[in-house]
Amino acid sequence: GGPGGVSVRQLLPRLLSEELRLYFTRITLAVERGNPAQVESALAAIGRDSGIQELVPFFVRFVSRQIYDNVGRVEYCRTLVRLGGKLVSNPHLHLELNLHQLLPPLITCVVARRLAGGDGGNHWALREEAAEVLMAACST
């Protein structure tokens, strides 16, 4: 967790069922450390699964913190932006109460002066993908 804060994983046990905790952990681990196939599978699940509304604030917080903590890692940020996009596009989820947390890191990925780090990632693709997710979030 952050300074003075409680990490998402510490909050989960008290608030969520074992199944939802496990789902959250599997998705976030796949995003953080998975191979490309695992990442794609995790993102696809977020885009289609119903019954995960209770996880929305946790996923939004995860995306937000990870983007801010990894601004120089362009390819990882692209994955996080795609995760945000899957949350926005999932017809079973309602993000209204969490958009105020999701939009600022997406805007950062569009307008930040320095996004490229040592990973050689395509910061233009990151900016474009983040802009597309922002447009989708604004039109839902």
Side-chain angles (χ1 to χ4, degrees):
V6 178
S7 81
V8 172
R9 290 190 178 115
Q10 288 174 334
L11 287 173
L12 289 175
R14 284 181 248 149
L15 300 176
L16 301 171
S17 69
E18 182 69 30
E19 293 82 10
L20 286 176
R21 286 196 308 261
L22 184 58
Y23 183 97
F24 179 83
T25 299
R26 285 191 174 163
I27 296 291
T28 55
L29 286 176
V31 167
E32 289 174 321
R33 299 182 217 150
N35 64 41
Q38 292 167 323
V39 171
E40 289 307 313
S41 177
L43 294 176
I46 292 297
R48 70 165 185 265
D49 287 352
S50 60
I52 60 170
Q53 180 66 42
E54 291 176 80
L55 291 175
V56 166
F58 298 100
F59 280 123
V60 168
R61 195 172 312 141
F62 173 78
V63 168
S64 179
R65 287 183 178 168
Q66 290 295 305
I67 286 175
Y68 289 135
D69 290 348
N70 293 281
V71 159
R73 296 177 57 205
V74 173
E75 294 307 316
Y76 181 53
C77 285
R78 285 179 71 187
T79 300
L80 294 165
V81 165
R82 289 175 59 219
L83 175 57
K86 293 297 186 177
L87 290 167
V88 168
S89 68
N90 183 325
H92 306 290
L93 300 181
H94 304 284
L95 300 184
E96 296 84 11
L97 298 176
N98 302 97
L99 278 178
H100 70 284
Q101 288 181 301
L102 185 60
L103 298 183
L106 293 173
I107 293 168
T108 296
C109 288
V110 175
V111 301
R113 185 176 199 145
R114 305 196 83 198
L115 286 175
D119 72 353
N122 183 346
H123 74 95
W124 292 115
L126 170 59
R127 292 174 195 279
E128 189 171 315
E129 288 171 16
E132 288 171 8
V133 173
L134 281 167
M135 288 189 306
C138 292
S139 65
T140 55

